[in-house]
Amino acid sequence: MVRKFDARQPDFETGFAAFLAEDRGTGHDVASIVRKILDDVEASGGQAVADYTAKFDELQVNPTTLQSDNVDLHALAADCPADLRKAIDFAHDRIAAYHTAQRPADHRFTDTTGVELGWRWTALESVGVYVPGGRASYPSSVLMNTVPAKIAGVSRIVMVAPAPGGELAPAVAYAALKAGVDEFYPIGGAQAVAALAFGAGRLKPVDKIVGPGNAFVAEAKRQVFGRVGIDTIAGPSEILIIADHTANPDWVAADLLSQAEHDPSSQSILITVDKSVGKAVEISVENQLMELPTGERARLSWEAHGAIIDAPDLETAAAIANQIAPEHLELAIADPDALLPLIQHAGAVFLGHLTPEALGDYVTGSNHVLPTSRAARFGSGLGLYDFLKRMSIQRVSPEGFAALAPAALRLAEAERLPAHARSVSIRTNRSGADG
Amino acid sequence: MVRKFDARQPDFETGFAAFLAEDRGTGHDVASIVRKILDDVEASGGQAVADYTAKFDELQVNPTTLQSDNVDLHALAADCPADLRKAIDFAHDRIAAYHTAQRPADHRFTDTTGVELGWRWTALESVGVYVPGGRASYPSSVLMNTVPAKIAGVSRIVMVAPAPGGELAPAVAYAALKAGVDEFYPIGGAQAVAALAFGAGRLKPVDKIVGPGNAFVAEAKRQVFGRVGIDTIAGPSEILIIADHTANPDWVAADLLSQAEHDPSSQSILITVDKSVGKAVEISVENQLMELPTGERARLSWEAHGAIIDAPDLETAAAIANQIAPEHLELAIADPDALLPLIQHAGAVFLGHLTPEALGDYVTGSNHVLPTSRAARFGSGLGLYDFLKRMSIQRVSPEGFAALAPAALRLAEAERLPAHARSVSIRTNRSGADG
């Protein structure tokens, strides 16, 4: 049985807040294990990476090259079927088009005091892309993490993916080559994150590490953050669907299950302003679960973390959505554009009945790497911005200097930083003369 | 004596790389201490915050309100001298103007397949601003961290600042009120970060925590990252100056020392393409150090971490600058705009002889919270973007659905996600009928 809430009930807020606060993570404390792996790789480089890879992935990699005779990206890619290549090419081109549109403009302006200000965006030089291996080995993830880096102008894109026993999906290999990965290493786990951050063997350190992984990978990214950039700490993911009487219950049920099948810790929530739709969706979920090959996993998620919420109106539904701050939000309602302005916190919004999350996962072109576990309160999905940084620019004219100097001197004095004051005052006498 | 390098020498690269890799941090392992403080605050809330504040700051705060009878923001602000208020107002207005210009535009477009795509920027709801107390209590930091949040539209700005023994700078209090801080708590350290992230007493959790702090604060931010957003992990800061024969050695020396006076771990580096300028700067630094009230601190920094590098030309100087990826880069040269396109990695660039870093620290309007310790390789200074997030938007038409469905189905099949495939295929038969 899935949990049900009624937003009209006086105890809704308390009960629902407790539901939202439930831990969907693994709960394992992996910090000290990860610390040791990072320290080992920093101290022993490629040898430590090779040792951990032999231990965890049963794969021999050369401590210097970090390559394995059993994993050849080009050979693997050649095994990718033609129709799947075509689908990957199609997704690639759409992702490239969407992210090309994201490029921010440089800006430069002169204000009334004669001070020139602005900023300039430049690309990161090198990026490491972590791609999970095994069951969760997704060519779409390769594209979503790599294509924006390429579009941004990153000149060195390094991909790592564990290949347990030498196994790696041919579609992952094809997607990597299609997206233009410059270097590939068949390594994973915290040891791969360490190798990317510190360098190991011939793998030179990168400037930023992106891509999802298990709890060890997430913790390793957290621990190397600062020394290199990271994208986000990914947690369990979720979908929220707001449905009205125009929604097709079978479609809504299918979309809820498309999230639930990912992992038992996934979360699928329906808010409906029409009770009969809620009931019909609940029945349809049960029916579809029985047919679904991934039904066992999806049922665990649906029964542990799923919910159906009755809301009196769409405004209330939007307020609840903002409280959830879902990774994915489908507006399966008659006029989604009318509700959109009320949505403040969501990773991605899917408008109308023909826009299931699954299309966004693969081929609309927008990025499927999105803030999970309520992180849409403060974070954005992956985008071109993750591979660019903004350099601020300023140039002070003699007139501008005269206008700015007094306040700067007063503040430096208040902050007891006399060398700051001196670097202004030393120029004061000559500020009219130089430019 | 300051260290000197010559980029023309064959061993320059090795020696300089070793210099850059030197640890300027504290080296203390604070992770476990911070972990305990976070756990205590999460378990015991306001009481734990009050206990730690009594212990570390010798200040009694009420466990429920987290307020102290000895710290009244309005009373303190009233003690701020009129001329200092005027300087704070001046800086405030310039910072507000600069960050207003940063607002990114929403975007919506329909592609050739009839798929509508785009994104929308929305503000964070609540932000915590950490302001260091004691000696490093800076009104300018209050403005730099708070004003962009206000401009972005953050509705709840919470400031924390330790007030050891009840002491807090009146200018900090005035700047907080001027910038529009909504709540203030006289707490600091890891316990304040924990209170902001988890909530404590009447302090409700915030969505993101920004602002610099000591090693405990930095580690606490690292550990709560994911649960809330954070800005960056701040490390020791630095200035790099590229100077040619047009530079005034006394001005350059003053600017190097304005960075060195912050902290013994600060770093000031000069690259000059004119050896005589390098020599003159070295002498001027010695002379100014003798007069400077903060000379002792500045000398520690200059002698331990400073450097003067001779470069054969400006192109080489730019390449070295990119390797350093400095927080602050002054181009004290005849034609800074000509060199700017070669600069790839820097937090902020100051063009020409009349733009010392100190003006940017206070009053040009651009943000002085910048990526330190080589983080400009992957990060940007604080800006409006830190207080906004980007929601992706997509809407698929019947024609678009027909165009996208086959590739999505093929990819879902390859990734063994049958519920993803079903959420597409279930709509296929009716995709011509619904919109």
Side-chain angles (χ1 to χ4, degrees):
Chain A
M1 281 288 286
V2 71
R3 264 158 320 162
K4 294 187 202 78
F5 296 93
D6 186 341
R8 294 176 192 83
Q9 298 301 317
D11 60 349
F12 170 73
E13 293 223 0
T14 319
F16 186 65
F19 170 75
L20 273 191
E22 282 171 15
D23 187 7
R24 293 189 288 134
T26 62
H28 297 160
D29 184 12
V30 300
S32 57
I33 301 167
V34 166
R35 181 78 266 157
K36 175 160 174 26
I37 296 173
L38 297 183
D39 288 347
D40 286 350
V41 173
E42 189 165 17
S44 313
Q47 189 59 55
V49 176
D51 291 347
Y52 280 115
T53 302
K55 181 176 166 191
F56 294 135
D57 295 334
E58 298 184 352
L59 184 73
Q60 303 300 327
V61 297
N62 180 300
T64 304
T65 63
L66 300 186
Q67 298 294 336
S68 161
D69 292 342
N70 299 320
V71 185
D72 175 357
L73 210 62
H74 286 87
L76 281 164
D79 285 342
C80 183
D83 65 331
L84 183 50
R85 288 184 194 207
K86 213 178 120 191
I88 291 171
D89 291 351
F90 182 80
H92 172 278
D93 294 349
R94 292 192 58 88
I95 296 164
Y98 182 86
H99 290 86
T100 299
Q102 273 187 347
R103 188 174 296 281
D106 295 348
H107 189 49
R108 195 98 174 249
F109 62 100
T110 304
D111 74 10
T112 52
T113 60
V115 177
E116 222 180 309
L117 293 161
W119 52 85
R120 197 159 73 86
W121 295 89
T122 54
L124 275 67
E125 223 164 273
S126 58
V127 164
V129 177
Y130 188 97
V131 174
R135 194 182 74 188
S137 186
Y138 300 141
S140 61
S141 283
V142 176
L143 297 178
M144 293 291 180
N145 282 283
T146 308
V147 174
K150 200 81 187 175
I151 300 288
V154 174
S155 51
R156 178 173 166 250
I157 301 175
V158 181
M159 181 172 128
V160 297
E167 273 199 58
L168 187 74
V172 164
Y174 179 77
L177 293 173
K178 172 76 186 174
V181 161
D182 298 292
E183 298 170 27
F184 170 73
Y185 303 90
I187 56 176
Q191 60 274 19
V193 174
L196 290 169
F198 309 141
R202 284 192 200 143
L203 197 180
K204 293 209 185 314
V206 299
D207 294 323
K208 183 169 182 171
I209 301 172
V210 301
N214 62 21
F216 293 88
V217 171
E219 177 61 25
K221 283 167 69 181
R222 179 198 305 280
Q223 291 191 18
V224 298
F225 177 44
R227 185 136 164 191
V228 298
I230 64 170
D231 51 350
T232 49
I233 306 284
S237 66
E238 61 274 325
I239 189 172
L240 171 65
I241 304 178
I242 298 179
D244 68 9
H245 66 284
T246 67
N248 180 321
D250 291 335
W251 299 5
V252 170
D255 298 358
L256 291 169
L257 290 175
S258 77
Q259 183 62 41
E261 78 171 338
H262 270 300
D263 194 278
S265 67
S266 290
Q267 183 162 59
S268 302
I269 301 177
L270 169 66
I271 306 179
T272 175
V273 291
D274 182 320
K275 282 202 180 193
S276 65
V277 169
K279 281 184 189 132
V281 169
E282 190 184 359
I283 292 165
S284 185
V285 164
E286 286 303 320
N287 291 337
Q288 294 187 41
L289 272 174
M290 285 189 284
E291 294 168 15
L292 197 63
T294 50
E296 199 180 329
R297 209 157 68 213
R299 183 181 292 282
L300 286 172
S301 155
W302 178 241
E303 295 188 350
H305 308 300
I308 296 176
I309 303 167
D310 281 315
D313 49 51
L314 288 171
E315 291 66 33
T316 306
I320 297 169
N322 287 332
Q323 192 185 349
I324 297 172
E327 183 186 11
H328 308 97
L329 172 62
E330 288 187 9
L331 301 183
I333 58 179
D335 189 357
D337 268 302
L339 195 61
L340 187 58
L342 298 187
I343 303 301
Q344 288 298 305
H345 312 302
V349 187
F350 302 80
L351 306 181
H353 301 303
L354 282 179
T355 317
E357 184 207 315
L359 287 184
D361 286 345
Y362 293 123
V363 285
T364 61
S366 81
N367 209 294
H368 81 195
V369 181
L370 295 164
T372 56
S373 307
R374 306 193 65 220
R377 290 173 294 132
F378 56 80
S380 307
L382 200 72
L384 210 68
Y385 294 93
D386 290 276
F387 303 102
L388 299 170
K389 57 258 177 359
R390 205 182 63 252
M391 180 189 295
S392 79
I393 294 168
Q394 41 214 304
R395 178 178 198 143
V396 178
S397 65
E399 301 71 33
F401 191 92
L404 300 189
L409 287 168
R410 186 62 187 91
L411 283 160
E413 184 200 337
E415 297 189 351
R416 293 181 204 156
L417 294 170
H420 281 61
R422 191 179 169 89
S423 92
V424 176
S425 64
I426 201 171
R427 287 166 164 92
T428 306
N429 296 336
R430 293 186 50 182
S431 68
D434 279 82
Chain B
M1 279 288 284
V2 71
R3 260 150 333 153
K4 292 186 204 80
F5 296 92
D6 186 339
R8 292 178 194 81
Q9 298 301 317
D11 61 347
F12 170 73
E13 293 222 1
T14 321
F16 186 65
F19 170 75
L20 272 191
E22 282 172 14
D23 187 8
R24 292 189 287 134
T26 61
H28 296 160
D29 184 12
V30 300
S32 57
I33 301 167
V34 165
R35 181 77 266 158
K36 176 162 173 26
I37 296 173
L38 297 184
D39 288 346
D40 285 351
V41 172
E42 189 167 16
S44 313
Q47 187 60 55
V49 175
D51 291 348
Y52 280 115
T53 302
K55 182 177 166 189
F56 294 135
D57 295 334
E58 299 183 353
L59 183 73
Q60 302 300 326
V61 297
N62 179 301
T64 304
T65 63
L66 299 185
Q67 298 294 337
S68 160
D69 292 343
N70 298 322
V71 186
D72 175 358
L73 209 63
H74 286 88
L76 281 163
D79 285 342
C80 182
D83 64 331
L84 184 49
R85 290 183 193 208
K86 212 178 119 191
I88 291 170
D89 291 352
F90 181 80
H92 172 277
D93 294 350
R94 293 194 57 88
I95 296 164
Y98 182 85
H99 289 85
T100 298
Q102 274 187 345
R103 187 174 297 281
D106 295 347
H107 189 48
R108 195 98 173 249
F109 61 100
T110 304
D111 73 12
T112 52
T113 60
V115 177
E116 223 180 308
L117 293 160
W119 52 84
R120 198 159 72 87
W121 296 88
T122 55
L124 275 68
E125 222 163 275
S126 58
V127 164
V129 177
Y130 189 97
V131 174
R135 193 183 74 186
S137 185
Y138 299 142
S140 61
S141 283
V142 176
L143 297 178
M144 293 292 180
N145 282 283
T146 308
V147 173
K150 201 81 187 174
I151 301 288
V154 175
S155 51
R156 178 173 166 248
I157 301 175
V158 180
M159 181 173 127
V160 297
E167 272 200 59
L168 187 74
V172 164
Y174 179 77
L177 293 173
K178 172 75 187 176
V181 161
D182 298 290
E183 300 170 25
F184 171 73
Y185 304 90
I187 58 177
Q191 60 275 17
V193 174
L196 290 169
F198 310 140
R202 284 191 199 144
L203 197 180
K204 293 207 185 313
V206 299
D207 294 323
K208 183 168 182 171
I209 301 172
V210 301
N214 62 20
F216 293 89
V217 171
E219 178 60 25
K221 283 168 68 180
R222 179 197 303 280
Q223 291 191 19
V224 299
F225 177 44
R227 188 137 163 187
V228 298
I230 64 171
D231 51 349
T232 48
I233 306 285
S237 66
E238 61 273 326
I239 189 172
L240 170 66
I241 304 179
I242 297 179
D244 68 8
H245 66 283
T246 67
N248 180 320
D250 291 335
W251 298 5
V252 170
D255 298 357
L256 291 168
L257 291 174
S258 76
Q259 183 61 42
E261 79 172 337
H262 270 299
D263 194 277
S265 67
S266 290
Q267 183 163 58
S268 303
I269 302 178
L270 169 67
I271 306 178
T272 175
V273 291
D274 181 321
K275 282 202 177 192
S276 66
V277 171
K279 282 184 188 131
V281 169
E282 191 184 358
I283 292 165
S284 185
V285 164
E286 286 303 320
N287 291 337
Q288 293 188 42
L289 272 174
M290 286 187 283
E291 295 169 15
L292 196 62
T294 50
E296 199 179 330
R297 207 156 68 213
R299 184 181 291 281
L300 285 173
S301 155
W302 178 241
E303 295 188 351
H305 308 299
I308 296 176
I309 303 168
D310 280 315
D313 49 52
L314 288 173
E315 290 67 32
T316 306
I320 298 170
N322 288 331
Q323 193 184 348
I324 297 172
E327 182 186 11
H328 308 97
L329 172 63
E330 288 187 10
L331 301 183
I333 57 179
D335 188 357
D337 269 300
L339 194 61
L340 187 58
L342 297 187
I343 303 301
Q344 288 299 305
H345 312 301
V349 188
F350 302 80
L351 305 180
H353 302 302
L354 281 180
T355 316
E357 183 206 315
L359 287 184
D361 287 345
Y362 293 125
V363 285
T364 61
S366 81
N367 209 296
H368 80 194
V369 181
L370 294 164
T372 57
S373 307
R374 306 194 62 222
R377 290 173 294 132
F378 55 81
S380 308
L382 201 72
L384 210 66
Y385 294 93
D386 290 277
F387 303 103
L388 299 171
K389 58 255 175 8
R390 204 181 64 253
M391 179 189 297
S392 78
I393 294 168
Q394 42 214 305
R395 177 178 199 144
V396 178
S397 65
E399 299 72 34
F401 191 91
L404 300 189
L409 285 168
R410 186 64 188 90
L411 284 160
E413 186 201 334
E415 297 188 352
R416 294 181 203 156
L417 294 170
H420 282 61
R422 190 180 169 89
S423 93
V424 176
S425 64
I426 201 170
R427 287 167 164 93
T428 305
N429 297 333
R430 294 188 48 182
S431 67
D434 278 82

